């Protein structure tokens, strides 16, 4: 009985790995999952604060909060170097 060949044995360069990992994460819709988590937390906090906003205000605030969180997260990645 032969062992099946290791599909990652000659997986290529770091760039190839980056492309494959990015593609897999996109196929799993990780970005949508993260946005859903942020949206749920955002709505929970608005409800806890008993804040009522118009749809445009709510959308604008969500975009700004999300951008601030992503910026902070990216900064943390840069700090780890």
């Amino acid at each position: 009985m032969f062992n099946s060949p290791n599909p990652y044995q000659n997986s290529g360069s770091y760039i190839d790995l980056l492309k494959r990992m990015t593609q897999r994460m996109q196929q799993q819709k990780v970005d949508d999952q993260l946005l859903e988590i942020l949206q749920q937390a955002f709505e929970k906090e608005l409800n806890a604060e008993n804040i009522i906003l118009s749809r445009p205000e709510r959308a604008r605030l969500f975009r700004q909060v999300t951008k601030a969180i992503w910026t902070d997260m990216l900064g943390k990645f840069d700090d780890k170097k």
Side-chain angles (χ1 to χ4, degrees):
M1 178 178 217
F2 294 104
N3 290 335
S4 62
N6 182 352
Y8 301 108
Q9 191 170 15
N10 293 320
S11 60
S13 70
Y14 178 83
I15 298 299
D16 292 335
L17 176 60
L18 173 63
K19 287 177 185 178
R20 286 194 313 275
M21 293 299 292
T22 301
Q23 184 179 35
R24 288 181 186 146
M25 300 288 267
Q26 289 170 334
Q27 288 172 344
Q28 294 176 22
K29 303 206 180 285
V30 171
D31 55 342
D32 291 341
Q33 294 173 34
L34 293 171
L35 278 174
E36 181 64 29
I37 291 168
L38 286 171
Q39 182 73 47
Q40 289 174 1
F42 177 80
E43 295 296 333
K44 182 180 174 183
E45 290 303 317
L46 278 183
N47 290 335
E49 297 268 340
N50 201 22
I51 297 173
I52 299 172
L53 298 171
S54 68
R55 284 186 189 193
E57 290 172 327
R58 176 176 244 132
R60 180 178 173 213
L61 182 60
F62 178 69
R63 280 192 307 272
Q64 290 174 332
V65 167
T66 301
K67 184 177 179 180
I69 290 169
W70 289 128
T71 301
D72 183 54
M73 287 176 61
L74 290 171
K76 289 177 183 178
F77 287 133
D78 291 340
D79 291 345
K80 301 255 182 203
K81 288 183 179 180

